[in-house]
Amino acid sequence: MLHVRLWWHAAPGLAVACVVLAVVQAGAITVAMVASGHLIASTGAAMRAGVDSAAALQSWRWLAVTVAAFVTAPVAAAVSRGVEEVASARYLAAYYDLVVDTGVHPHAVTHLEDPANAQQLVSAVEASRDWLFLRGIGGTWVALSNKLNGVGALVVVSTWRWWVGPFLVVGWLLLSRAVAHWRSVVFDDMIGETGLGRRRASYLQGLLVERAAAKEVRLYGLGGWLVGGFVNAWQETMAIVSRRRLRGVSGTLPALAVLLVLNAAAFAVLAADAAADRVSTGVLVTVVQGILGLAAFGRQDDGETSLGRTASCVAALAAFRTALGLSFLPTPAQATLDTAPISAAAGKVELREVTFGYPGGDRPVVEHLNLTIPAGQAVALVGVNGVGKSTIVKLLCGLWPPQAGEVRIDGLDPAVDVAARRRVSVIFQEFVRFGLTARANVEAGAGWQPVEELDRIAVDAGADHIVAGLESGWETVLSAEFTGGTDLSGGQWQRIALARALAAVRAGAGVLVLDEPTAALDVRAEVALFESLLRLREGLTTILISHRLSSVRHADRIVVLGPTGGGGARVIEDGTHEELVAAGGEYARLFTLQASRFAAAGGAA
Ligand SMILES: Nc1ncnc2c1ncn2[C@@H]1O[C@H](COP(=O)(O)OP(=O)(O)OP(=O)(O)O)[C@@H](O)[C@H]1O
């Protein structure tokens, strides 16, 4: 069972300790039942024989055993709770490791972009944040302890009449199943069935307290409206919850009735035996405790009910990992992130007959695309919105493998070869704004850098004045949500992202891709940035993507992508700015259009 395997992986020593403590606890409870029976049985004779008699000594012994057993059981339970807490934290950490490992492997993002897969991973994370999941981890030991206590009681009852115990156990198990079913209805309400209403309520509540919506909530006076929406959504959901819970509880009544009958019958037989002197007082006391102790088989607390849920979360994550070709537990090789230094890179880019479409798409985005960029060349990729420029960037990074054709960086396939991937440095259109220090935002591209190196990179990226203006320089957190942190403007963020990409270039990446990283810059700033990049590239292969053609006109080569007869994108024009303008094709038309608009707006192309 995967849940048990994960326990063994996360905390083998503590897991063994929990088992031992559960056995000790169950043993102590069983001994207490038997010893207390003997104590009561021997007390009468001891009192009659006198304090110094052998019978009294025997009685004292049973008292000592009874007290020791009664003390041992709760002490073992208390120690067990402590050990379980520590062990559960380790289990949770191991589960998070699995989730993270599943997120970052394999390199391709195919599994994350497929909505069904992404949802599975999100569910795995969400489930683990739920308190039910946490209760379920500890529930492993609650369930084990309950079952062991029950077995002890069964042994005790069997010493009287062997057939009574199994009947009662069946009764308790029936009730336990019915209660577990009802509780799962309750839990489904909490996280599943009424999830939509709850999510809506919590979304509305979030708008009231989160920073992102704060400005508009105040500006438009949305407070009352949001509170009303929250209350309605919550009440509607809770009404459904109450109805389902009431309906569900009736399912436990037949099991309860059966159990009552069985228990009444057992006690009636015991009473008859006692009346006929077939059992002594001591046995009577022990067996009564045993019969009551069988209730351990029917116990259903949050922990035990949640155990199944936790185990199925782990099983679902394991199935997801298997589908991705990953073993259940991360192997040391899987657990290592790509930290190898980048080998000397030349930077030749080749796409040969590449065809690619996203899952669920009705046509390929690119089709039979051929593009070769020699090392050191600066190429601008242009084309209308949605033609497939960013998709080509993802293919170059190996984030998606093509369905046909070949993508090569210096002859290596980036979808399978880590060395090829590390030769490509990209500022994505939607680059990540890490709410971490400025240093970490840049070092993410290349690992630790001395401050002098960071300063040099910042100058190249035009980010030096931004860092200089930060309260704690490179150590300032770039998020106002943290004390001492600060927010940057869109343009400032782009400079920081550029610095990150340049850090990767300094570490050896031979291909720099800028996928419209300058949308938040004005035209002049964008032209200046691209030109400074083209100047400092020194043998770097540079791929620039921009809709502002004036910004990329100085590239060595301009590649125009276009749809061809309803199919996927291909290269429709390829040449220098001058060649393409002279050719009078699509590029010339777009360039002239943009230049005339810009001139009309009072600028110069
Ligand atoms: N993850 C995705 N899943 C499904 N379809 C996608 C995905 N990403 C992009 N697409 C689709 O692929 C096509 C090409 O998108 P892409 O982002 O590559 O175009 P683009 O040329 O970069 O556009 P833009 O100039 O607007 O940035 C579009 O039709 C888009 O809707």
Side-chain angles (χ1 to χ4, degrees), residues 1-8 10-11 14-16 18-19 22-23 25 80-81 84-85 87-89 91-92 132-148 301-312 314:
M1 191 176 154
L2 295 169
H3 172 62
V4 174
R5 262 184 77 193
L6 190 55
W7 259 119
W8 191 245
L14 293 175
V16 170
C18 287
V19 173
V23 171
Q25 197 189 335
S80 184
R81 291 295 95 80
E84 279 165 35
E85 285 289 319
S88 297
Y91 180 102
L92 193 60
L132 290 175
F133 183 86
L134 305 180
R135 294 297 299 265
I137 298 174
T140 313
W141 310 117
V142 177
L144 178 71
S145 185
N146 281 343
K147 296 293 169 287
L148 289 176
D301 73 350
D302 286 349
E304 198 162 342
T305 313
S306 319
L307 170 61
R309 196 171 285 272
T310 302
S312 52
V314 174

Side-chain angles (χ1 to χ4, degrees), residues 296-577:
F297 283 108
R299 216 161 279 150
Q300 269 296 335
D301 73 350
D302 286 349
E304 198 162 342
T305 313
S306 319
L307 170 61
R309 196 171 285 272
T310 302
S312 52
C313 274
V314 174
L317 185 59
F320 185 39
R321 286 178 66 80
T322 307
L324 296 179
L326 299 170
S327 56
F328 170 52
L329 297 171
T331 60
Q334 283 173 6
T336 315
L337 289 173
D338 303 342
T339 51
I342 307 173
S343 56
K348 184 179 180 192
V349 174
E350 292 169 283
L351 292 111
R352 288 194 288 265
E353 289 295 309
V354 169
T355 296
F356 172 80
Y358 291 97
D362 52 359
R363 64 172 185 88
V365 176
V366 293
E367 201 169 9
H368 300 296
L369 177 77
N370 286 295
L371 177 64
T372 301
I373 306 175
Q377 196 172 64
V379 172
L381 272 190
V382 301
V384 295
N385 287 120
V387 75
K389 303 179 293 294
S390 301
T391 301
I392 292 175
V393 177
K394 291 181 208 167
L395 293 169
L396 290 181
C397 300
L399 294 173
W400 287 93
Q403 276 107 29
E406 290 178 342
V407 178
R408 295 288 181 268
I409 308 292
D410 293 322
L412 303 171
D413 181 354
V416 295
D417 199 321
V418 68
R421 300 201 281 267
R422 306 205 66 225
R423 291 180 188 200
V424 184
S425 172
V426 184
I427 311 182
F428 290 101
Q429 217 170 11
E430 284 150 13
F431 57 83
V432 183
R433 296 159 190 229
F434 292 107
L436 303 170
T437 58
R439 169 188 279 279
N441 267 281
V442 175
E443 284 180 346
W448 184 85
Q449 302 285 315
V451 169
E452 307 75 54
E453 187 64 20
L454 285 175
D455 287 341
R456 270 194 289 276
I457 293 168
V459 169
D460 287 348
D464 47 337
H465 60 282
I466 300 170
V467 177
L470 297 174
E471 200 178 319
S472 310
W474 285 108
E475 305 310 325
T476 310
V477 174
L478 302 185
S479 165
E481 289 182 16
F482 295 95
T483 314
T486 185
D487 263 343
L488 296 184
S489 72
Q492 289 172 324
W493 263 116
Q494 284 178 330
R495 299 281 180 177
I496 295 289
L498 179 60
R500 174 154 76 232
L502 291 182
V505 168
R506 280 191 180 249
V511 182
L512 174 64
V513 185
L514 292 93
D515 185 358
E516 285 192 74
T518 48
L521 300 184
D522 58 46
V523 180
R524 283 190 185 80
E526 180 178 276
V527 172
L529 176 74
F530 278 6
E531 288 187 348
S532 67
L533 273 178
L534 294 179
R535 267 198 308 278
L536 66 84
R537 63 193 162 99
E538 293 166 19
L540 188 69
T541 307
T542 316
I543 300 175
L544 305 175
I545 299 178
S546 174
H547 286 286
R548 293 170 182 159
L549 301 185
S550 58
S551 303
V552 296
R553 60 187 288 179
H554 298 299
D556 299 333
R557 187 176 152 203
I558 293 164
V559 172
V560 184
L561 296 165
T564 47
R570 287 192 221 180
V571 176
I572 54 169
E573 290 175 27
D574 188 343
T576 62
H577 169 75

